[in-house]
Amino acid sequence: MTENTQQQPAANPELPTQYAPAEVEGKLYERWVERGYFEADANSEKPPYTIVIPPPNVTGSLHLGHAFEHTLIDALTRRKRMQGYETLWQPGMDHAGIATQNVVERELAKEGKSRHDLGREAFVERVWQWKGESGGQISGQMRRLGDGVAWSRERFTMDEGLSQAVQTIFKKLYDDELIYRAERIINWCPRCLTAISDIEVEYQDDDGELVSIRYGEGDASIVVATTRAETMLGDTAVAVHPDDERYKHLVGTEIELPLTGRRIPVVADEHVDPEFGTGAVKVTPAHDPNDFEIGQRHGLPNLAVMDERAVITAHGPFQGLDRLEARSAIVAALRAEGRIVAEKRPYVHSVGHCSRCKTTIEPRLSMQWWVKVGPLAKAAGDAVRDGKVKIHPQEMEKRYFDWVDNLHDWCISRQLWWGHRIPVWYGPEGEIVCVGPDEEPPSGEGWHQDTDVLDTWFSSGLWPFSTLGWPEQTESLKKFYPNSVLVTGYDILFFWVARMMMFGLYAMDGTPPFHTIALHGMVRDQFGKKMSKSFGNAVNPLDWMDEYGSDAVRFTLANGANPGVDVPIGEDWVKASRNFANKIWNATRFALMNGATVEGPLPDPSEMSATDRWILSRLNKTVAEVDAYYDDYQFAKLADALYHFAWDEVFDWYVELSKTTFFAGGEGAKVSGRVLGEVLDVMLRLLHPVVPFVTETLWTTLTGKESVVIADWPTDSGFRDDAAEKEIELVQQVVTEVRRFRSDQGLQPGQKVPARLDLAGTALAPHEAAIRQLLRLQPEGEEFAATASLPVAGATVALDLSGTIDVAAERKRLAKDLAAAEKEKAQANGKLGNEAFLAKAPDNVVDKIRTRLAKADEDIARIQAQLERLPQA
């Protein structure tokens, strides 16, 4: 354990009788911020420890997922700060292009206006106005949770510095021919009216229809099947496999495309699976990514038949229909011509949806900007393979490699107005000029800037270094890059983590953006179900904070945080954590009232009782255990270790075992008071990163020092006393066994019973007073008559139960229970001895019966032992 050297104001040992989080948390947090505890000094000589916040959307508010992630990050940074690191938890928010534009457009719609009524410049100004008035409420909620972020360094992905970083890296990638413009099939959202990347598409099984359509006539006909009949208007070929004998006579010929009057070729392409369906596929290069590739190989025209809102633009009776309306109309028209060979509905198939508005996406041929990810993705994969970056838990590496090793070029342009506008100008003669942040854009008649903005993930991919001032070589960048660890959910391993890896390695001369990627799971309800407003199980963490305190919410979340595994959480668990905070409060209050102190050095072990030496030995083992769990990102295990050490060992055993010493007074009470003060001091510091508010109040009261936030993190002093631990284990055995016996006999916990303790010659002898206190055992007295005797831990505890229980009634009750257990055993044995039953019964049924038999045997043994211990009637 370390010595804390903070300035010591006068201690106030008085604590309210009850802990009221609402009266404490807000004031404490503002005090921490005012004193600058969370700020980071780039000129400090301390070793750096850096974590960036996964930037929440400016449109968002704190949900349980945020609270969970922030709790883990805050625990890590608070511990490192206490360990003497110059700690930076970098805060900030993401401009969230599509989401934010949608919010403001909805506000405009209430006024009967669209963004086009305002024009681009006025609309962007309106978004900035909204951001200033309504955005960023999550900052206040982060304060509620206790997030120890460096608020003076807060960044926004659209602020001036980060915008310069975006323009700089775009120019660098463009000059290195890693950014290019090309016409390709993209995922298009007809609601958001923009391209979206592959990872922004959510797939789900939808009910649709599969229709088989006959193209051509007689021997020159082919049947194709589709779930998107409306796209047939844009077909420019039918494709078959080169080796498919059924269609070899048609390859190179043309057949008529129904409803259109056009003739289209039959081409042979190895992409076609001859075993699937009819072995022939319609080819719509402008509306399907695979068809586009076929079209490129065979020089087919790209015929677009839908506009940006997925309305049919092809000439004919279907023009002006929405895609779904057109689908029904086209199938009806084909049916009328006898072209429908088969129909299957409902036909369940996987359909892509926009992750933001849930609209069905439409593959669409479009001119867009792309990042050539090949060399960037290879570097991102090699950094993990070479050990420069570690993924925790390690089994998540496979998912990472599966992604980066198969990454397609990234479409980075979005047809929005809110975001980083692409820094490319087009000239009147077809000139294309990419402009860096320090360069003047070309001007003059006919020059104009690209109207698209960049994908939000483009700017957030720069987050670990753009927030530190890059491209300027700032002191902060030198001090705090690379980040020590990235704590984030496995669900954005592809969205965000891979982007940061690619850009960090590229922009920072091969230095990865972080040393470790610590992945956590998703928060779910207590039944393991995804939380969602539509499911009715979504929880506002602020409601739980109001009811139970922020510490209770934080401890519950940390206690469920196993690496890479989803976290179930329910209100009852938060209540239990609230009870834990109250237990810490009440036990510390009791300790302060009974002489617990941190004044002066610890007494020599020779002056301590075995109980004192035991708790100090356990304390040091807990320090070592918690450190190991922190270093392995095992938050659930460290929270569990702290819970059981505090509640079980300190409060339920050490405090209770020491009460007789405290009540007796004298030197023994002084020694134990100092030991208890040391234990509380260290325990509260260990607990602080997870439950910062209650520990701050208690620790400053106990020690009289300024703040536990800047206290030293405890270290394992190496003190161990195995003999004392074994001795107290014997005491625990005696107390536990006798308590169990008392409960079996129906005695109330506070009911006093005369007893004789035969402890001579055992290590238990010095603990007789404490054992009697814990078990409510009175001295035996002159009329003592032992009616029950319990041999335990080498000692004997004799009890006089006469007058405390109705022996006859208790024997009758136990006899009834014994008969029921023996009947259960007989029934189980009967089934297990029946060969016919065993031959037919499923394994799980047989296993259940074996379990019932084992339970019956245990019950019989327990009841018989209780009967033997009862006094004779």
Side-chain angles (χ1 to χ4, degrees):
M1 284 78 71
T2 56
E3 185 70 20
N4 188 276
T5 57
Q6 299 176 41
Q7 184 180 3
Q8 299 188 25
N12 176 15
E14 296 297 323
L15 285 170
T17 54
Q18 291 184 323
Y19 177 50
E23 297 175 11
V24 170
E25 294 176 348
K27 295 175 184 176
L28 283 184
Y29 189 84
E30 290 310 313
R31 185 189 308 162
W32 292 335
V33 173
E34 288 169 7
R35 293 179 178 177
Y37 293 158
F38 305 140
E39 295 303 323
D41 181 3
N43 298 309
S44 167
E45 294 184 1
K46 296 177 182 178
Y49 186 81
T50 316
I51 294 181
V52 293
I53 193 171
N57 288 354
V58 68
T59 59
S61 61
L62 192 73
H63 55 65
L64 265 181
H66 289 126
F68 171 55
E69 188 167 75
H70 291 198
T71 294
L72 305 187
I73 297 175
D74 197 43
L76 289 172
T77 53
R78 284 179 183 270
R79 172 178 175 252
K80 285 296 182 180
R81 188 178 295 112
M82 295 170 75
Q83 286 183 317
Y85 286 78
E86 192 62 36
T87 303
L88 169 60
W89 182 7
Q90 174 66 53
M93 285 182 291
D94 192 284
H95 67 279
I98 296 177
T100 305
Q101 179 156 321
N102 283 346
V103 168
V104 178
E105 286 198 83
R106 283 196 296 269
E107 292 296 313
L108 283 173
K110 294 176 183 176
E111 303 170 14
K113 297 178 182 178
S114 74
R115 61 181 163 122
H116 300 285
D117 295 324
L118 271 66
R120 182 168 193 145
E121 188 174 334
F123 176 77
V124 171
E125 183 59 35
R126 180 70 176 261
V127 180
W128 277 109
Q129 180 184 340
W130 174 87
K131 189 258 183 188
E133 294 173 356
S134 307
Q137 62 174 311
I138 201 167
S139 296
Q141 296 166 341
M142 286 166 61
R143 286 173 157 85
R144 285 287 313 277
L145 189 64
D147 287 2
V149 300
W151 287 112
S152 69
R153 292 173 171 267
E154 187 174 13
R155 304 304 300 268
F156 179 55
T157 49
M158 286 280 286
D159 69 28
E160 184 178 350
L162 269 65
S163 296
Q164 183 183 24
V166 167
Q167 193 171 352
T168 299
I169 201 162
F170 187 100
K171 171 71 171 174
K172 180 175 170 60
L173 288 162
Y174 182 87
D175 289 347
D176 288 345
E177 299 183 350
L178 293 173
I179 280 183
Y180 62 94
R181 190 170 184 243
E183 189 176 46
R184 290 188 179 177
I185 293 285
I186 46 90
N187 304 301
W188 181 264
C189 176
R191 162 64 185 80
C192 298
L193 297 179
T194 182
I196 59 176
S197 66
D198 290 344
I199 53 178
E200 294 169 297
V201 178
E202 293 179 349
Y203 287 90
Q204 66 183 48
D205 287 343
D206 286 357
D207 286 345
E209 60 179 350
L210 180 69
V211 293
S212 297
I213 310 169
R214 178 173 51 83
Y215 288 11
E217 302 292 343
D219 292 339
S221 67
I222 293 181
V223 174
V224 298
T226 182
T227 58
R228 301 167 66 221
E230 68 278 10
T231 64
M232 68 159 290
L233 300 176
D235 286 359
T236 55
V238 171
V240 297
H241 193 275
D243 299 331
D244 195 331
E245 295 294 335
R246 293 172 294 177
Y247 304 116
K248 277 196 171 182
H249 68 289
L250 292 177
V251 173
T253 68
E254 289 186 341
I255 58 175
E256 184 174 338
L257 179 66
L259 305 181
T260 68
R262 287 191 290 115
R263 295 187 68 78
I264 57 176
V266 178
V267 300
D269 195 282
E270 291 189 353
H271 170 77
V272 179
D273 180 1
E275 303 298 323
F276 183 76
T278 64
V281 297
K282 59 191 286 297
V283 182
T284 321
H287 293 281
D288 182 276
N290 293 322
D291 293 3
F292 177 77
E293 297 298 330
I294 294 175
Q296 292 291 295
R297 289 192 288 271
H298 297 276
L300 301 175
N302 301 316
L303 183 60
V305 295
M306 275 182 260
D307 68 11
E308 61 182 9
R309 298 184 185 275
V311 172
I312 301 298
T313 58
H315 295 295
F318 312 109
Q319 186 174 3
L321 295 180
D322 171 81
R323 56 182 166 171
L324 298 183
E325 296 172 332
R327 182 177 301 171
S328 299
I330 288 170
V331 170
L334 290 168
R335 189 183 300 114
E337 290 190 4
R339 294 283 178 179
I340 300 296
V341 176
E343 296 181 69
K344 183 177 181 181
R345 63 168 67 88
Y347 178 72
V348 179
H349 61 133
S350 181
V351 177
H353 296 260
C354 174
S355 62
R356 289 177 176 82
C357 71
K358 311 308 176 187
T359 301
T360 300
I361 63 103
E362 190 65 45
R364 186 170 189 249
L365 186 65
S366 180
M367 183 68 77
Q368 302 285 344
W369 285 94
W370 305 80
V371 171
K372 186 185 296 182
V373 300
L376 303 175
K378 182 180 184 304
D382 290 346
V384 175
R385 289 189 175 92
D386 297 344
K388 289 182 182 178
V389 178
K390 298 194 180 301
I391 294 180
H392 186 88
Q394 191 173 2
E395 53 265 28
M396 286 286 182
E397 283 186 1
K398 183 179 183 303
R399 294 182 66 174
Y400 176 79
F401 291 137
D402 286 346
W403 177 254
V404 298
D405 292 347
N406 299 285
L407 203 56
H408 299 296
D409 283 1
W410 171 20
C411 177
I412 56 171
S413 44
R414 298 291 181 268
Q415 289 63 57
L416 305 170
W417 287 357
W418 172 246
H420 296 100
R421 195 164 173 181
I422 289 175
V424 171
W425 271 255
Y426 304 103
E429 304 298 326
E431 303 97 329
I432 299 178
V433 176
C434 180
V435 178
D438 300 323
E439 300 171 349
E440 287 293 326
S443 59
E445 187 176 349
W447 283 94
H448 64 279
Q449 187 178 357
D450 196 300
T451 57
D452 289 351
V453 301
L454 288 164
D455 178 10
T456 296
W457 296 104
F458 190 94
S459 52
S460 59
L462 314 180
W463 192 248
F465 52 93
S466 64
T467 52
L468 297 173
W470 187 90
E472 301 298 323
Q473 295 303 304
T474 64
E475 293 301 315
S476 290
L477 187 65
K478 295 174 188 174
K479 179 74 174 179
F480 296 112
Y481 187 90
N483 291 186
S484 306
V485 61
L486 174 74
V487 178
T488 192
Y490 62 70
D491 60 323
I492 56 174
L493 182 62
F494 315 132
F495 284 86
W496 190 44
V497 179
R499 311 296 194 212
M500 287 189 291
M501 285 287 284
M502 290 191 296
F503 281 167
L505 289 159
Y506 172 74
M508 300 301 293
D509 300 321
T511 302
F514 16 73
H515 298 301
T516 301
I517 302 168
L519 297 170
H520 59 71
M522 305 296 101
V523 176
R524 297 182 177 272
D525 70 14
Q526 66 265 43
F527 306 109
K529 190 175 182 179
K530 180 180 178 181
M531 284 193 173
S532 166
K533 289 181 181 179
S534 61
F535 295 155
N537 63 349
V539 173
N540 183 347
L542 295 175
D543 293 340
W544 280 352
M545 289 184 219
D546 289 341
E547 183 71 20
Y548 306 112
S550 297
D551 283 335
V553 174
R554 289 171 62 114
F555 192 82
T556 305
L557 291 165
N559 205 27
N562 290 297
V565 178
D566 288 346
V567 183
I569 184 172
E571 188 168 4
D572 286 345
W573 303 341
V574 184
K575 289 179 183 177
S577 295
R578 185 269 316 273
N579 295 343
F580 179 49
N582 288 341
K583 183 75 170 181
I584 300 169
W585 181 273
N586 294 332
T588 304
R589 186 170 178 273
F590 169 85
L592 288 169
M593 293 170 61
N594 286 276
T597 179
V598 294
E599 294 180 9
L602 272 176
D604 189 85
S606 63
E607 301 174 37
M608 299 178 189
S609 67
T611 307
D612 295 332
R613 297 194 305 277
W614 163 73
I615 197 62
L616 289 176
S617 183
R618 289 294 309 131
L619 176 67
N620 278 283
K621 286 182 178 179
T622 301
V623 170
E625 189 177 14
V626 168
D627 272 333
Y629 287 143
Y630 262 116
D631 291 341
D632 199 34
Y633 305 101
Q634 297 279 358
F635 296 98
K637 289 182 178 179
L638 72 88
D640 187 65
L642 287 168
Y643 177 90
H644 288 292
F645 175 74
W647 194 306
D648 298 347
E649 297 185 290
V650 178
F651 305 146
D652 279 0
W653 285 108
Y654 180 73
V655 170
E656 294 299 323
L657 286 169
S658 300
K659 279 183 178 178
T660 53
T661 303
F662 288 130
F663 296 159
E667 285 302 315
K670 290 181 180 179
V671 170
S672 292
R674 180 65 188 89
V675 170
L676 180 54
E678 179 75 7
V679 170
L680 290 175
D681 171 17
V682 173
M683 183 193 75
L684 291 170
R685 283 186 278 152
L686 288 174
L687 282 164
H688 172 73
V690 181
V691 284
F693 295 108
V694 68
T695 51
E696 172 79 341
T697 305
L698 295 175
W699 189 85
T700 53
T701 302
L702 171 71
T703 65
K705 295 179 182 177
E706 181 183 341
S707 174
V708 70
V709 177
I710 53 172
D712 292 334
W713 180 254
T715 56
D716 178 5
S717 71
F719 178 81
R720 300 288 190 274
D721 193 324
D722 293 337
E725 290 197 41
K726 290 178 181 177
E727 186 171 321
I728 300 306
E729 283 175 13
L730 294 177
V731 175
Q732 292 171 327
Q733 285 180 35
V734 171
V735 173
T736 301
E737 185 63 28
V738 176
R739 278 177 174 166
R740 184 181 296 117
F741 175 76
R742 287 176 55 110
S743 176
D744 288 343
Q745 306 309 313
L747 296 176
Q748 295 300 313
Q751 191 171 351
K752 295 181 179 179
V753 178
R756 180 174 64 241
L757 275 61
D758 183 5
L759 309 177
T762 72
L764 295 166
H767 304 283
E768 179 169 351
I771 292 171
R772 286 185 176 275
Q773 169 75 20
L774 288 168
L775 291 172
R776 305 294 190 269
L777 301 181
Q778 293 179 316
E780 50 198 278
E782 293 182 3
E783 299 181 2
F784 178 82
T787 59
S789 182
L790 283 75
V792 56
T796 302
V797 178
L799 303 173
D800 182 357
L801 301 179
S802 58
T804 59
I805 60 172
D806 184 336
V807 176
E810 187 64 13
R811 281 191 176 278
K812 185 176 180 181
R813 182 185 71 81
L814 290 173
K816 183 179 179 182
D817 291 346
L818 181 61
E822 288 174 337
K823 181 180 179 181
E824 175 75 2
K825 179 178 180 178
Q827 289 176 341
N829 273 328
K831 289 185 177 180
L832 293 174
N834 185 333
E835 293 296 334
F837 171 79
L838 292 176
K840 295 179 181 179
D843 289 345
N844 65 319
V845 172
V846 176
D847 288 342
K848 284 182 180 179
I849 295 171
R850 289 194 178 112
T851 301
R852 283 168 49 195
L853 176 61
K855 177 67 166 54
D857 282 334
E858 290 176 8
D859 289 344
I860 291 168
R862 175 177 55 79
I863 296 167
Q864 287 175 338
Q866 288 176 244
L867 284 166
E868 290 172 5
R869 290 169 179 164
L870 277 176
Q872 297 300 314

